[in-house]
Every structure is written in C-alpha cells, then in structure tokens.
Amino acid sequence: MIRLDSVHVRHKARSGGLFRRDAVYALTDATLEIGKGEIVGIVGESGCGKSTLARVLIGLQKPTEGQVAFHGGDLWKMTGSDRRDNFGSSVGVVFQDPATALNPRLTVEQILRDPLDVHRRGSREERTARVRELLGLVGLPGHTLGSLPGQLSGGQRQRVAIARALALEPELIVADEPTSALDVSVRAQVLNLLIDLRERLGLALVFISHDIQTVRYLADRIAVLYLGRIVEQGPAEQVASAPRHPYTEALLSATPSLLETTERIVLTGPVPSATNPPSGCPFRTRCPSADSACAGVFPEPSTGTGGHRWHCVHPRTPDTPTSLPEAQLSTPGPDTGTPAPATSARSHA
C-alpha cells in the first residue's frame, strides 16, 4: 500500500555561529513497505528518527531524497488536491499526547465531525450518524459527545483521537507512541482497541514505540531504527526471539519481559551525533563487536527467512556472547577517542 524507497530526510540546524548551518541527518536511506491489513512496529531510542519516519508516511514531511509510493504512484508527484483528497483521506494519525492533540475548545462531537466537514463526506444527517458510529467503534458512551477534552480521562481522550483518525475510513493508521502518556492499565485497553479495530475494519497500522516488548506482541513485522537508519527488520517473532543486530539485542535486554529472562547488556562509548554521524555502521561507537571493518561503509543487507533483513558486519547468533569482559568494554572503538561512561540501552531508549 505504501512503500518508502531509499528515503533521506535532512534538516538545517544553526550551530557554531550566526551564519553557520549544519545538516541534521534525521532519516538515512530508509526502505520500508506497509501492506494492506498488517501491523508494522517501528522501534528505537529517543532521537533515532521514529517520528520523522511517521511524518514521511503520513505526508507531512517531504523527503530530501528518495520516493514515497502510494498504491504504486509517487506521492510527491501528485497535485496538491489529489494528495489531499486521495492520500489524505486514506491515512489517519494518532499522536503521542491526547491532551495536546485535541482542540480544548471543541466538543467531542465537533472534533469528530471536523474531518467529515472538511472532506465534505455525506449529508448533514449522514455526518451526524457517522459521528455516533465512530463513538461506538471506540467504546465511548453517547453522552461524551457534548464533553470538552479537558472533561475526559486520558484513556477517553486517546479513544477520541483514534475515532477522529478513523473518521474518513482510512486504509492506514499511523500511531506515534499512542500509549506513552497513559497509565499501564489504560495502555492495555488502547492496545486491545487497536488490535480489535484492525480485525474488524481490515486496517493497516504503523505502531511507533520505544518499547520493543510491546511492539513484539502487537506487530506482524518490526523495523528497528538507530540514528536515522533501519538496521534490522522482519517478522516480529524472528526479530524479537533471534535478533541479528547487536542494537536490537540491546533494546530487548533493556525492556523487562515476564516470559523470558535476558541478560542486561551494558553499552559503552559515545552516543553519536545526528549532525556528524560516524562513518560506516552508526552503532559502531557503542557496539562491543565493532572493529575497523565496521568503519568503512554502511553494511549491505543480509537476508534470512521470511524477509528478515539486517545490516551488520558481525551479526549476532545464538552462540554470540551478549556482553564482553569489563576490560574489553573500556577499549575505545575505531575513531571514537575516549569512551563515555558505561550506559545501558534502557537509559537511552
């Protein structure tokens, strides 16, 4: 349904003086496909490019390079009206914080009716019926139609945001960390709602999160981002149970699981800058297996079963140790200088 082909996103940032501008490499050579009716999880630590990828997928960010294809056609070669009418109504978005994603001065009925009015869907009576139908889809009682967002709980507000995303009957919902601002019990309700909506409506869903264990049990496929690059992607169970990239392994070790016992992996070395990324593999400054071969060029993809792909010179195997001796961990990687104090993947995720 949607495919990203070698997408790059670079931003201009002012630094080092009034007239000097550096490039921020927010997304680098990203290739990703979203099929009809599937759930794709995007995981990675803060600042890795997850939200930039979401903005590209929903058409809010034009790539610096590369192509975004929607049903085979180049999204950014469409006219503005075609992109608004055809693509805009086919993709819905659920933002991270429901408290700021909804207009506090509009009632729930006005919020849900707004996209229907903008796209002129149906008659006045049909729009009113659709608003009530949306409320039923997300399990909210009818009396909430007259409520303002500030009068609702966090879970109710997020359900309203999901209902708004469904208003135009989209093919794809992009959810950017939709449960991070909610309590644990409410998170489970929202996640179950998204799964139920996928089964009932045949929606495709892109679920963005830093919690790889949650994504593991929600998604059909997982893509792992590090410093703007997709370093590993494939079927969710394969990526989570047999990760081949050391960064994926570190993410899994940083997130507790009730079903498995994993050894915590401690990462050392400097966290690279998005304005001056390291050559070769971007993870090499923190990777315990990095050597001079990792400093050349970004590794070509290796492919396993079921479309499992990873970019790593020294991929993990079941026999690969999850950590190195302390003396080896303190050795600086290639071209990194003096390493920073040891940090865990959890502290950056």
Side-chain angles (χ1 to χ4, degrees), residues 253-299:
S253 80
T255 309
S257 172
L258 297 177
L259 303 180
E260 297 176 355
T261 301
T262 57
E263 181 182 352
R264 185 177 179 185
I265 298 174
V266 177
L267 300 177
T268 63
V271 179
S273 168
T275 60
N276 187 26
S279 62
C281 175
F283 187 59
R284 68 180 178 85
T285 62
R286 300 165 71 192
C287 179
S289 302
D291 58 21
S292 58
C294 304
V297 296
F298 185 67

Side-chain angles (χ1 to χ4, degrees), residues 12 31 34 39 43 102 108 180 208 267 280 324-325 330 340:
K12 294 293 185 182
T31 296
I34 314 296
I39 299 179
V43 296
L102 305 177
V108 170
S180 63
I208 296 171
L267 300 177
L324 295 179
S330 63

Side-chain angles (χ1 to χ4, degrees), residues 197-228:
L197 290 172
R198 192 274 286 265
E199 293 175 351
R200 291 165 61 186
L201 305 177
L203 288 169
L205 175 66
V206 173
F207 186 85
I208 296 171
S209 177
H210 64 273
D211 186 347
I212 193 171
Q213 295 290 359
T214 298
V215 172
R216 172 182 187 174
Y217 295 104
L218 178 72
D220 302 309
R221 290 192 296 117
I222 293 177
V224 181
L225 263 73
Y226 184 79
L227 201 66

